[in-house]
Amino acid sequence: MGVNERKSRERSSRREAILDAAEKIFSTKGVITSTIDEIAREAELGKGTLYNYFPSKEAILWYCAVRGMKILTGMMLSSVSPGNEPLINLRKMAESFMKFALRHNNYFRIFLTVGMGFSIPSGLTGNEVKEVFEKESPYLLIMEELKRGRASGLFRSDVDLNLLTHGVWIQFYSFMQLISLNPEMVAAFGLNHEKLIETNMMMIINGIRKDSGV
Amino acid sequence: MGVNERKSRERSSRREAILDAAEKIFSTKGVITSTIDEIAREAELGKGTLYNYFPSKEAILWYCAVRGMKILTGMMLSSVSPGNEPLINLRKMAESFMKFALRHNNYFRIFLTVGMGFSIPSGLTGNEVKEVFEKESPYLLIMEELKRGRASGLFRSDVDLNLLTHGVWIQFYSFMQLISLNPEMVAAFGLNHEKLIETNMMMIINGIRKDSGV
Amino acid sequence: MGVNERKSRERSSRREAILDAAEKIFSTKGVITSTIDEIAREAELGKGTLYNYFPSKEAILWYCAVRGMKILTGMMLSSVSPGNEPLINLRKMAESFMKFALRHNNYFRIFLTVGMGFSIPSGLTGNEVKEVFEKESPYLLIMEELKRGRASGLFRSDVDLNLLTHGVWIQFYSFMQLISLNPEMVAAFGLNHEKLIETNMMMIINGIRKDSGV
Amino acid sequence: MGVNERKSRERSSRREAILDAAEKIFSTKGVITSTIDEIAREAELGKGTLYNYFPSKEAILWYCAVRGMKILTGMMLSSVSPGNEPLINLRKMAESFMKFALRHNNYFRIFLTVGMGFSIPSGLTGNEVKEVFEKESPYLLIMEELKRGRASGLFRSDVDLNLLTHGVWIQFYSFMQLISLNPEMVAAFGLNHEKLIETNMMMIINGIRKDSGV
DNA sequence: TATGAATGAGCCTTCATTCAT
DNA sequence: GATGAATGAAGGCTCATTCAT
């Protein structure tokens, strides 16, 4: 029915509004020092209202992270094409990752916090969260391209696929970290983002090419 | 005098004991959720005693991080030798990094927390802290070897030295992060440490070799 | 609107209730040894609730003092009348002061504590506090009557007005002090309040009369 | 024996040194915010040493107050002479009071704190303390002179002696309070000490003269 | 559903006092 | 006697969560 539908839409958009506010606050002040009050104020909602949409502060954090991860995955997915060579696709994914790191660096702090030992609160059904973080993750996208690249003889096959994926994934990930957390270091050494991206992408790609000898 | 010397030794070892306890608690529970009480209990000391050695919880965190960084730098320094080829030295450093990540994976979480926006408390003279983090950092050791390697035509010179160093540093760092934060992931994929190290080192080295083309 | 009005009234009365509790505890145990927990318990409120109404313990103290000063000023103001002779008005003010000291001797300890070097917490707008303590104080009321008394040739004019006011003010004030702080002394010497009041008032008045020679 | 005597002298002077330090710290920072550490540091003694001479911080405070009271009483005693007229002696006592307030204004704040509800700690034999505060107090000196003055027809006899004494005592006390707690106020009004003293003494004396009628 | 006042567990830090040396 | 490292009770304040309206 129309009414229910509208209500559902409203509920959904309110959830998003809360996550918007949380993302902003979390990324600005750090997750731990952010308070529910601040998020509520930013969302222009009553504090109690937040608890009508999320069971706890930690849940808000997780759904924030989920949303970020979905954006990242979406960006990576839309940048690749099955018709492309794996090397091209990897490059595109790397570029997407970097773009995400630059454009949404808000999320990085949130990802890190989540990764640093915040266990998924038992209140969450967990399914959605688990799926996003384990099944749909960019990790699998990378692995897919590496597999194709090996099949076509482009990438080195002398190393376990998981190992290789891990290496690439970590490089993507930590690159974001250094962009996000050490702007002053980046500046101090006279580096700029574009060149960093270019250099690191080169290093990553070279690291996995078949003809790269030890 | 003997007495003073002994006292100084005792004071020093008590400091270390507190840092030991803190390191354990911090890395187990995360920095924020760790409490001074827990650290004191772990150190088998009264809560107040901790404050005879450190001015605040935050200071304890920082000196923990300093200690970890000193260990890391020390391991790297003692693994290289000016007589070695730069490639060898880089490999040794990488090995040290990995060893550190495996042996002292406690520290990584602490490094991360410190990096996540904890400012150095004004109470600390800061000198010691700043020096360790800025002047003696592994970053500079890596740069030194890269410089030598480029001079001897081994490493690619078509890229700014700072950029190159940054790239290598990121890769070292990421690898450490992988091992420290996701030990269960490493296990889950049936990866073993030697192979991880070998693979990643290979990837890193290849990324910077002169003959590696894009 | 009705709801908001009621809320405002509730908020206001809760504030007063907290100040009531604080006044009681402060005056019984002394300001410093009183704890927020005790005040909260006395007010039959949760500890945190107090902090919804006042930013700190010190602020509670100050607003207590402000309230007391307002009562005192009010009593003094309503006891005088512009039509009265200055001597009568001074007497009335003295009586009001004494009444206040007897009826609200709770406040005295609070005034003293505030006067003994507690600076106004920066969190307070300060306006209300400053006004009460500096602009509307009984001090000015006394001075006004002394001025009038001098103009009409009743009080001695050979002494600076400020000096005279100060002398009277201090006598009022410290009289309250001795009533409040040394009840056992009062008792020990077989004194009673009414006679003390009468005697001291006489001494004060005589001290300022024009025809009092040295 | 000589040795014991010297030891006794040493012990005594160390006690005094501690009280010196305490007086300085107490009056500078306020009794409550002063710490044993600060007093020990000021006295250039170990913290534990203080506890060899006094059983508690509160005891130090009390013996400080006792010492101050002894000084005050001493000053008053040596200023009067049985041969003088009572009016002269009262004047002298008043002068002593003022001098004390000016020279040792440190003490007043301590007196106030002690008066503000610090009970005499049970550890103290109490005798010395009680005696000083109750038997040797300036209060009795004043009473003595008032008695003599009434006998010689100088002071009003229509009022109970205790009441009268109380009145004078309060005025002395208030004056001391003014000078000690509000030195900046004294300065702000451009008042100078001599005039203050003169005015107040005049007010006090006039208040008790026989020929002062209401 | 929206709200925000009320709540109290929990935390960091201080400091008077003790006691082994 | 002198010392100061060790102690832990106690206090002010925060903030996630609840619940009556």
Side-chain angles (χ1 to χ4, degrees):
Chain A
M1 202 224 300
V3 170
N4 281 342
E5 200 181 311
R6 192 208 46 187
K7 286 208 171 179
S8 169
R9 242 184 303 119
E10 277 173 7
R11 182 167 178 86
S12 201
S13 80
R14 179 124 324 166
R15 262 184 75 98
E16 291 306 309
I18 293 172
L19 292 179
D20 286 344
E23 177 198 323
K24 188 166 174 184
I25 301 294
F26 280 155
S27 66
T28 308
K29 307 198 33 171
V31 170
I32 304 286
T33 34
S34 299
T35 69
I36 286 285
D37 281 78
E38 287 166 322
I39 297 172
R41 207 173 313 125
E42 176 70 31
E44 294 178 356
L45 287 171
K47 193 179 357 184
T49 308
L50 268 60
Y51 282 87
N52 285 334
Y53 291 87
F54 298 95
S56 69
K57 181 187 169 185
E58 222 172 349
I60 296 179
L61 171 65
W62 274 96
Y63 284 111
C64 254
V66 163
R67 202 172 63 163
M69 204 51 123
K70 279 182 176 168
I71 294 175
L72 172 59
T73 311
M75 285 174 73
M76 290 179 80
L77 264 175
S78 68
S79 73
V80 300
S81 145
N84 288 346
E85 294 235 340
L87 194 59
I88 301 294
N89 273 343
L90 263 183
R91 203 175 243 289
K92 294 284 185 191
M93 286 199 290
E95 274 167 9
S96 301
F97 208 107
M98 308 305 169
K99 264 187 212 153
F100 176 81
L102 288 170
R103 207 185 293 157
H104 300 278
N105 72 68
N106 285 351
Y107 280 114
F108 193 69
R109 194 176 264 208
I110 295 170
F111 288 166
L112 252 193
T113 312
V114 160
M116 274 177 70
F118 272 69
S119 55
I120 302 178
S122 55
L124 305 190
T125 56
N127 280 341
E128 192 182 9
V129 173
K130 279 203 163 179
E131 257 171 39
V132 166
F133 273 89
E134 290 174 12
K135 302 217 184 94
E136 304 175 21
S137 91
Y139 186 89
L140 298 184
L141 297 181
I142 296 170
M143 186 185 276
E144 183 55 31
E145 293 305 321
L146 287 177
K147 206 190 295 178
R148 284 181 61 219
R150 279 154 74 128
S152 65
L154 216 88
F155 298 154
R156 50 193 318 149
S157 297
D158 55 340
V159 169
D160 178 75
L161 179 61
N162 269 317
L163 279 178
L164 213 56
T165 311
H166 238 108
V168 173
W169 165 243
I170 285 279
Q171 288 184 11
F172 279 21
Y173 195 74
S174 70
F175 185 60
M176 182 156 111
Q177 174 170 320
L178 288 181
I179 286 181
S180 303
L181 294 186
N182 292 332
E184 66 288 344
M185 199 193 200
V186 172
F189 284 101
L191 309 173
N192 73 53
H193 283 308
E194 283 91 42
K195 286 201 178 160
L196 268 175
I197 291 175
E198 188 52 40
T199 311
N200 278 270
M201 212 138 57
M202 175 271 291
M203 290 175 67
I204 293 171
I205 302 294
N206 281 345
I208 56 172
R209 284 163 64 95
K210 186 174 194 177
D211 53 0
S212 65
V214 175
Chain B
M1 200 220 306
V3 171
N4 282 343
E5 202 182 308
R6 179 184 46 96
K7 286 208 171 174
S8 169
R9 241 183 305 121
E10 278 173 8
R11 182 165 180 86
S12 204
S13 79
R14 176 91 11 132
R15 257 184 81 97
E16 293 305 310
I18 292 171
L19 291 180
D20 287 344
E23 177 197 323
K24 188 165 173 185
I25 300 294
F26 280 156
S27 64
T28 308
K29 305 199 33 171
V31 170
I32 305 284
T33 35
S34 300
T35 71
I36 286 286
D37 282 78
E38 284 166 325
I39 297 173
R41 208 176 310 126
E42 175 69 31
E44 294 178 356
L45 287 171
K47 196 189 336 196
T49 308
L50 268 59
Y51 284 86
N52 286 337
Y53 290 86
F54 299 95
S56 68
K57 180 186 169 185
E58 221 172 350
I60 296 179
L61 171 65
W62 274 96
Y63 283 112
C64 257
V66 163
R67 199 172 66 165
M69 204 51 126
K70 277 183 176 168
I71 293 175
L72 172 57
T73 312
M75 285 174 72
M76 290 181 78
L77 266 174
S78 69
S79 72
V80 300
S81 148
N84 288 346
E85 295 238 338
L87 194 60
I88 301 294
N89 273 343
L90 265 183
R91 217 173 227 290
K92 294 282 185 191
M93 287 199 291
E95 271 167 13
S96 300
F97 231 125
M98 312 302 168
K99 269 189 207 150
F100 175 82
L102 288 171
R103 210 184 289 159
H104 301 280
N105 77 74
N106 286 350
Y107 280 116
F108 197 72
R109 191 174 272 207
I110 295 170
F111 288 167
L112 266 188
T113 311
V114 160
M116 274 177 72
F118 273 69
S119 54
I120 302 178
S122 58
L124 306 189
T125 56
N127 280 342
E128 192 182 10
V129 173
K130 279 204 162 178
E131 258 171 37
V132 165
F133 274 89
E134 290 174 10
K135 302 216 184 97
E136 306 174 22
S137 91
Y139 188 89
L140 298 183
L141 296 181
I142 295 170
M143 187 185 278
E144 183 55 32
E145 292 305 323
L146 290 178
K147 207 192 293 180
R148 286 181 60 218
R150 281 154 70 126
S152 65
L154 216 88
F155 298 151
R156 50 194 315 154
S157 297
D158 55 340
V159 170
D160 177 75
L161 178 61
N162 272 318
L163 282 175
L164 209 58
T165 311
H166 203 249
V168 173
W169 162 249
I170 286 178
Q171 299 197 20
F172 280 18
Y173 193 79
S174 339
F175 191 65
M176 189 160 85
Q177 176 172 332
L178 163 69
I179 292 177
S180 300
L181 290 187
N182 299 320
E184 69 288 346
M185 203 184 209
V186 173
F189 282 105
L191 311 176
N192 77 52
H193 288 308
E194 279 99 43
K195 284 201 180 161
L196 263 178
I197 291 174
E198 189 51 36
T199 310
N200 277 269
M201 229 152 31
M202 175 272 292
M203 289 172 67
I204 293 171
I205 302 295
N206 282 345
I208 58 172
R209 284 164 63 96
K210 190 178 192 169
D211 53 358
S212 67
V214 175
Chain C
M1 199 222 303
V3 171
N4 282 342
E5 201 180 309
R6 179 183 48 95
K7 286 208 171 175
S8 170
R9 242 183 303 120
E10 278 174 7
R11 181 164 181 88
S12 205
S13 79
R14 176 92 8 133
R15 256 185 82 96
E16 292 306 309
I18 292 171
L19 291 180
D20 287 343
E23 178 196 321
K24 188 166 173 184
I25 300 293
F26 281 156
S27 65
T28 309
K29 307 200 33 173
V31 170
I32 305 285
T33 34
S34 299
T35 69
I36 286 285
D37 282 79
E38 285 166 324
I39 297 172
R41 209 176 309 125
E42 174 70 31
E44 295 178 352
L45 287 172
K47 195 190 338 194
T49 307
L50 268 60
Y51 284 88
N52 286 337
Y53 290 86
F54 298 96
S56 69
K57 180 187 170 185
E58 221 172 351
I60 296 179
L61 170 65
W62 274 95
Y63 282 112
C64 257
V66 163
R67 199 173 65 163
M69 206 49 126
K70 278 182 177 168
I71 294 174
L72 172 58
T73 311
M75 285 174 72
M76 290 179 80
L77 264 175
S78 68
S79 72
V80 300
S81 146
N84 289 345
E85 295 236 338
L87 194 61
I88 302 294
N89 274 342
L90 264 182
R91 202 176 246 287
K92 294 284 187 192
M93 286 199 292
E95 274 167 10
S96 301
F97 208 107
M98 308 306 169
K99 265 187 211 151
F100 176 82
L102 288 169
R103 208 184 292 158
H104 301 280
N105 73 69
N106 285 351
Y107 281 114
F108 194 68
R109 191 176 270 205
I110 295 168
F111 287 167
L112 254 194
T113 311
V114 159
M116 273 178 73
F118 272 69
S119 54
I120 302 178
S122 57
L124 306 189
T125 56
N127 280 341
E128 193 183 10
V129 174
K130 280 203 161 179
E131 258 171 37
V132 166
F133 273 89
E134 290 172 11
K135 302 215 185 96
E136 307 174 20
S137 93
Y139 184 88
L140 298 184
L141 297 180
I142 297 170
M143 187 185 274
E144 183 55 31
E145 294 303 323
L146 289 177
K147 207 191 292 178
R148 285 181 62 220
R150 281 154 69 127
S152 64
L154 217 87
F155 297 154
R156 47 192 322 150
S157 297
D158 56 339
V159 170
D160 179 76
L161 179 62
N162 271 315
L163 278 178
L164 214 56
T165 312
H166 237 108
V168 173
W169 165 245
I170 285 280
Q171 288 182 11
F172 280 19
Y173 195 75
S174 71
F175 185 60
M176 182 157 111
Q177 175 171 318
L178 287 181
I179 286 181
S180 302
L181 295 185
N182 292 331
E184 64 289 343
M185 198 192 201
V186 172
F189 284 102
L191 309 173
N192 73 52
H193 284 306
E194 284 91 38
K195 288 202 177 159
L196 268 176
I197 290 174
E198 188 52 39
T199 311
N200 278 271
M201 212 139 54
M202 175 271 289
M203 290 175 67
I204 293 171
I205 301 293
N206 281 345
I208 56 172
R209 283 164 64 94
K210 188 176 194 172
D211 52 359
S212 65
V214 177
Chain D
M1 199 223 301
V3 170
N4 282 344
E5 201 181 309
R6 192 209 43 181
K7 288 211 168 173
S8 168
R9 241 185 304 120
E10 280 174 5
R11 182 167 177 85
S12 202
S13 80
R14 176 115 341 155
R15 261 184 75 98
E16 292 305 310
I18 292 171
L19 291 179
D20 286 344
E23 177 197 323
K24 189 165 172 185
I25 300 295
F26 281 155
S27 64
T28 308
K29 308 199 31 174
V31 170
I32 304 287
T33 35
S34 300
T35 69
I36 287 284
D37 281 76
E38 286 166 323
I39 297 173
R41 207 174 312 126
E42 175 70 32
E44 294 179 356
L45 286 171
K47 194 179 358 184
T49 309
L50 267 60
Y51 283 87
N52 286 335
Y53 290 87
F54 299 95
S56 69
K57 179 188 172 185
E58 221 172 349
I60 296 179
L61 172 64
W62 274 97
Y63 283 111
C64 255
V66 163
R67 201 172 64 163
M69 206 49 125
K70 278 181 176 169
I71 293 174
L72 172 58
T73 312
M75 284 174 73
M76 290 180 79
L77 266 175
S78 69
S79 73
V80 299
S81 146
N84 289 346
E85 294 236 339
L87 196 58
I88 302 295
N89 274 342
L90 266 182
R91 221 173 225 289
K92 294 283 187 192
M93 287 200 291
E95 271 167 12
S96 302
F97 229 125
M98 312 302 166
K99 269 188 207 150
F100 175 82
L102 288 171
R103 208 183 291 158
H104 301 279
N105 77 72
N106 287 349
Y107 279 117
F108 196 73
R109 194 173 267 211
I110 294 170
F111 289 167
L112 265 187
T113 312
V114 160
M116 274 176 72
F118 273 70
S119 55
I120 302 179
S122 56
L124 305 189
T125 57
N127 279 342
E128 192 183 9
V129 173
K130 279 204 161 178
E131 257 170 38
V132 165
F133 273 89
E134 289 173 11
K135 302 217 185 95
E136 304 174 23
S137 92
Y139 188 89
L140 298 183
L141 297 180
I142 295 170
M143 188 185 277
E144 182 56 30
E145 292 305 322
L146 288 178
K147 206 192 293 179
R148 287 180 61 219
R150 281 153 69 125
S152 65
L154 215 87
F155 298 152
R156 48 194 317 154
S157 296
D158 57 340
V159 171
D160 178 74
L161 179 61
N162 271 318
L163 284 176
L164 210 58
T165 311
H166 203 251
V168 174
W169 163 249
I170 286 177
Q171 299 197 19
F172 280 18
Y173 193 79
S174 338
F175 191 65
M176 188 159 86
Q177 175 172 330
L178 164 68
I179 292 176
S180 301
L181 290 188
N182 300 320
E184 69 290 346
M185 203 185 209
V186 174
F189 281 106
L191 310 176
N192 76 53
H193 288 306
E194 280 99 43
K195 285 200 179 160
L196 264 177
I197 291 174
E198 189 52 37
T199 310
N200 277 268
M201 226 149 39
M202 175 271 293
M203 289 172 67
I204 294 171
I205 301 296
N206 282 347
I208 58 172
R209 286 164 61 97
K210 187 175 194 172
D211 53 0
S212 68
V214 174

